[in-house]
Amino acid sequence: MCGWRDADRDNRKEIGGTRRRERAAAVIRVAIVGAGIAGLGAAIALRRAGLDTVVWEREPELREVGAGLTLWPNALHALRRLGVADAVLGAGARLTSGSVHSWRGAVLVSTGLDLERLFGAPAVGIHRADLQRTLLEAAGAETVHQGAQCIGFAQAGPRVEVRFADGQTKTADVLVGADGIHSAVREAVLGVEEPRRSPWAAWRAVCSGVRPPADTNMTIGPGAHFGYLPLGNGRTYWFAVTELGLEAEALGRRFQDWPEPVTGLIRSTPASAVIHNDLIDRPPARRWGRGRVTLIGDAAHAMLPGLGQGACQALEDAVALADSLRDASDPEGGLRRYEALRMARTARIANLSHTVLTMMQWQHPAARALRALLLRAPARTTLARQAWIYGYGRALPHGPGRPAAPGDDAQC
């Protein structure tokens, strides 16, 4: 009897195979809310994966806003997957060395940043507007619809209805909230949750009136720190973190006893060019989505700038989301797979960012002495401890284009 074929079983296999082919043939339509780094990165990744993607942005035009940022090697690995790494490298400045000084001028650490050898990609300083412009060109301007403020959504079966402030509605198979820390999509998923406020404020600016530094530098003092790095094209990005309540005209006085070029960079920057905001983040969320809706970037995991990983994690999200949806048998399962891949890693990085920024703001003399001791650890030791961050995405042992499994950080 073993030579007889089971007709019922064969029919079931054929029906199952037909359904799988039908699902593969049906192109998933994805709506992304927000055209920042996370939203545009996701649009590029999803389109490269063959998904029909559109981005809805609340601003009537994409303005050149923001200051500089650092893209660490893990972000460059993601950008390579998006096909824009070379363009980003051309728009920014490679960071090949770094140093940390005390506010009295003492060198705490100075080292070359041989990140490309260690992690397979360099670090890059770039203006946020240049990065956004590069991503927009790759995503395609026709993909982005501006002046569309999302106010919520409704799910009905296999569709998501996206609602906008002007009364319009649009339908999609998947909705991705990439609309920042004050995300309307997040609020609809998780309810109203106020961001977590810190006791610190950030000051950021880009200036062209001074000679750009040769390296990236951080200067730390009691209750404050100041950093600067080159952005390319003769520009310098500087940033400071201070206590709350400081007025803009008092910023120069706050750092008046600090060494050059700290005071010179502040003097060379018009007050109108300085961006000032209180630092806020969100504790890691218990979930990112439901049904056919998920979150990405700051909408999912807004973090303090202690590690400079906000944009980097958004780009990692974009690649993981596209991989998960492309390989999924159904969109909802793909979204849950994406969340399972990303939630633990981003929570760990967000928590560590909070810890590092807290340490950088220590005021007590004993705490500052401990901080100086910690910062004097050999650079090789420090980088080895951070390999799980910077080396992520360098190697994918499970095959080209496949997302890492949960817990794979140690392998990357």
Side-chain angles (χ1 to χ4, degrees):
M1 295 294 293
C2 62
W4 289 92
R5 298 180 61 186
D6 185 333
D8 287 341
R9 184 183 62 190
D10 288 349
N11 286 339
R12 287 195 299 270
K13 284 184 177 180
E14 179 61 27
I15 291 169
T18 300
R19 286 174 178 168
R20 283 192 294 273
R21 287 191 294 273
E22 287 173 350
R23 284 196 298 266
V27 177
I28 299 173
R29 296 178 302 155
V30 182
I32 300 172
V33 174
I37 293 170
L40 292 175
I44 298 168
L46 291 165
R47 293 188 73 187
R48 287 169 68 90
L51 281 69
D52 185 3
T53 305
V54 63
V55 181
W56 302 96
E57 166 59 38
R58 68 180 179 184
E59 296 296 331
E61 59 183 38
L62 294 179
R63 295 170 292 135
E64 293 193 3
V65 297
L69 52 84
T70 302
L71 296 174
W72 294 99
N74 53 310
L76 266 293
H77 291 310
L79 289 166
R80 283 174 180 164
R81 289 286 307 278
L82 301 182
V84 296
D86 289 343
V88 168
L89 287 168
R94 289 179 183 245
L95 306 178
T96 58
S97 60
S99 59
V100 180
H101 293 72
S102 79
W103 71 295
R104 296 299 194 188
V107 178
L108 301 178
V109 62
S110 180
T111 184
L113 297 176
D114 194 4
L115 302 177
E116 193 157 10
R117 181 181 64 83
L118 293 172
F119 305 121
V124 179
I126 189 170
H127 198 294
R128 180 176 292 271
D130 291 339
L131 176 60
Q132 188 170 20
R133 187 182 310 110
T134 300
L135 295 176
L136 178 61
E137 290 174 357
E142 71 283 357
T143 303
V144 180
H145 299 263
Q146 295 157 220
Q149 181 181 354
C150 173
I151 58 172
F153 65 85
Q155 298 195 66
R159 299 287 181 269
V160 182
E161 183 181 82
V162 189
R163 298 169 177 169
F164 297 94
D166 62 1
Q168 286 192 81
T169 60
K170 301 293 180 180
T171 59
D173 301 311
V174 167
L175 172 61
V176 178
D179 45 342
I181 190 169
H182 300 292
S183 167
V185 178
R186 179 191 176 99
E187 183 173 311
V189 171
L190 299 178
V192 178
E193 298 175 330
E194 289 298 317
R196 179 170 58 183
R197 300 199 171 274
S198 80
W200 310 300
W203 309 79
R204 297 168 291 141
V206 174
C207 63
S208 304
V210 297
R211 183 177 180 179
D215 68 355
T216 177
N217 173 272
M218 185 82 73
T219 302
I220 55 175
H225 66 273
F226 189 103
Y228 55 86
L229 54 97
L231 294 184
N233 297 317
R235 299 168 299 175
T236 300
Y237 168 50
W238 64 260
F239 59 91
V241 177
T242 67
E243 65 278 7
L244 294 174
L246 193 67
E247 298 295 332
E249 57 270 18
L251 185 63
R253 294 194 298 273
R254 178 66 174 83
F255 291 97
Q256 64 184 358
D257 296 326
W258 290 43
E260 292 291 349
V262 172
T263 53
L265 286 169
I266 296 174
R267 282 196 310 268
S268 300
T269 308
S272 59
V274 179
I275 300 170
H276 171 225
N277 59 277
D278 296 347
L279 286 175
I280 57 177
D281 69 348
R282 289 189 183 275
R286 64 189 183 277
R287 59 190 174 96
W288 285 3
R290 57 182 171 86
R292 293 186 171 221
V293 180
T294 196
L295 304 172
I296 189 173
D298 281 353
H301 47 69
M303 57 187 68
L304 294 176
L307 294 174
Q309 278 287 317
C312 303
Q313 291 307 300
L315 292 167
E316 284 186 15
D317 288 348
V319 173
L321 176 63
D323 284 343
S324 298
L325 280 176
R326 182 198 59 210
D327 295 339
S329 59
D330 71 280
E332 189 169 338
L335 295 181
R336 301 296 86 79
R337 165 70 170 166
Y338 153 72
E339 292 160 6
L341 288 171
R342 297 298 301 157
M343 288 182 69
R345 174 172 169 81
T346 55
R348 184 181 177 189
I349 289 175
N351 289 332
L352 185 57
S353 294
H354 196 283
T355 299
V356 169
L357 193 68
T358 300
M359 182 189 74
M360 298 297 287
Q361 295 300 105
W362 282 347
Q363 298 188 59
H364 192 280
R368 286 158 42 206
L370 173 61
R371 179 178 64 194
L373 183 64
L374 293 172
L375 288 170
R376 287 192 173 100
R380 183 175 294 275
T381 301
T382 301
L383 289 172
R385 290 173 179 165
Q386 297 172 337
W388 67 276
I389 300 176
Y390 300 141
Y392 186 87
R394 179 179 185 178
L396 297 172
H398 24 270
R402 298 286 299 180
D408 274 357
D409 287 355
Q411 302 176 15
C412 296

